[in-house]
Amino acid sequence: MRRAVLITAAAIVALLVLSQLLVPPYLEHRAEKRLTAHGGHATVSIDALPAARLLLHDGDEIKVRGEGLHVQLTNRRMNVFRELDRFNRADVRLTRMSAGPFSVGRVAISRSSSSRPYAFSLRASVTARDLSSYAGSQLAGGLGGFLGRLGSDVVPFSSEPIPVRIDAAIRSNGGQPELQNVAGSVAGVPAGPLASAIAAAVADRL
């Protein structure tokens, strides 16, 4: 009996060690591959002890750094924050990336605990020329309306960059982002739809 208990305990320990060595690297590589699907560089670090918790969608912390990435803007909301939500703490910082027609200098999504909303920060720019060629009016819903209003308020085909500065809190409701306390506008147009779209586009790549 004692030997059987020892063998079982040893097997459990071996499985825990094996999961610690295999599960985080697998998830890190998967996220890095998704982030860089359209170019750029990214590193993802995942912490969970024991790592087997990750199989149950539970972890301690995720850190993401990226540069030169590209994400598409859509109105698809769904449960795009589901991967970030599995971690108690999140720290995502991306630089020199593109999101649709927007040239993003920096975008950050972070939270210090699962009970707090995500802090979202965006510093970017867009030109009327890029906005026109992007044909944002083809996007229905809030994002399409935002791009349509923005396009009608700027000088057509101008190459002068329009600065974009947005700070917001994002509460995840079952993986679906809900904006709170949005600060910022683009050429006088409220920037809530843009903040939601870029945050969702980034989170959906993880």
Side-chain angles (χ1 to χ4, degrees):
M1 175 66 74
R2 182 178 180 183
R3 183 178 179 182
V5 171
L6 290 175
I7 292 175
T8 301
I12 291 174
V13 171
L15 287 174
L16 289 174
V17 171
L18 190 62
S19 67
Q20 203 72 38
L21 293 174
L22 297 180
V23 176
Y26 166 75
L27 294 177
E28 290 167 353
H29 176 71
R30 186 183 69 171
E32 290 168 357
K33 187 175 181 180
R34 286 169 59 87
L35 284 166
T36 59
H38 301 289
H41 305 277
T43 58
V44 177
S45 175
I46 289 174
D47 290 327
L49 190 64
R53 293 164 49 206
L54 293 169
L55 302 177
L56 301 176
H57 300 282
D58 181 35
D60 294 318
E61 184 173 17
I62 181 171
K63 290 184 178 180
V64 180
R65 299 292 183 268
E67 182 178 8
L69 307 179
H70 176 75
V71 296
Q72 296 288 344
L73 297 182
T74 70
N75 283 302
R76 189 171 77 88
R77 298 290 291 275
M78 303 297 287
N79 300 325
V80 292
F81 269 64
R82 63 189 180 279
E83 288 298 324
L84 278 180
D85 285 348
R86 74 160 73 190
F87 299 97
N88 186 44
R89 299 181 301 278
D91 183 6
V92 179
R93 303 181 194 180
L94 309 177
T95 59
R96 295 176 56 194
M97 63 176 286
S98 62
F102 294 86
S103 177
V104 178
R106 176 175 63 86
V107 61
I109 305 173
S110 63
R111 71 174 179 180
S112 57
S113 73
S114 58
S115 62
R116 299 182 61 83
Y118 294 93
F120 173 83
S121 177
L122 174 70
R123 301 295 181 265
S125 64
V126 65
T127 68
R129 179 178 299 170
D130 290 340
L131 196 61
S132 298
S133 63
Y134 187 70
S137 60
Q138 295 182 12
L139 291 172
L143 180 59
F146 165 82
L147 293 176
R149 288 184 60 190
L150 179 59
S152 66
D153 287 350
V154 298
V155 178
F157 306 109
S158 171
S159 59
E160 188 70 21
I162 303 166
V164 179
R165 297 175 60 91
I166 308 172
D167 295 287
I170 300 177
R171 180 74 67 177
S172 175
N173 183 6
Q176 182 169 328
E178 296 180 350
L179 285 176
Q180 301 174 340
N181 306 322
V182 182
S185 63
V186 185
V189 180
L194 176 61
S196 180
I198 291 183
V202 170
D204 194 38
R205 303 310 301 172
L206 297 174

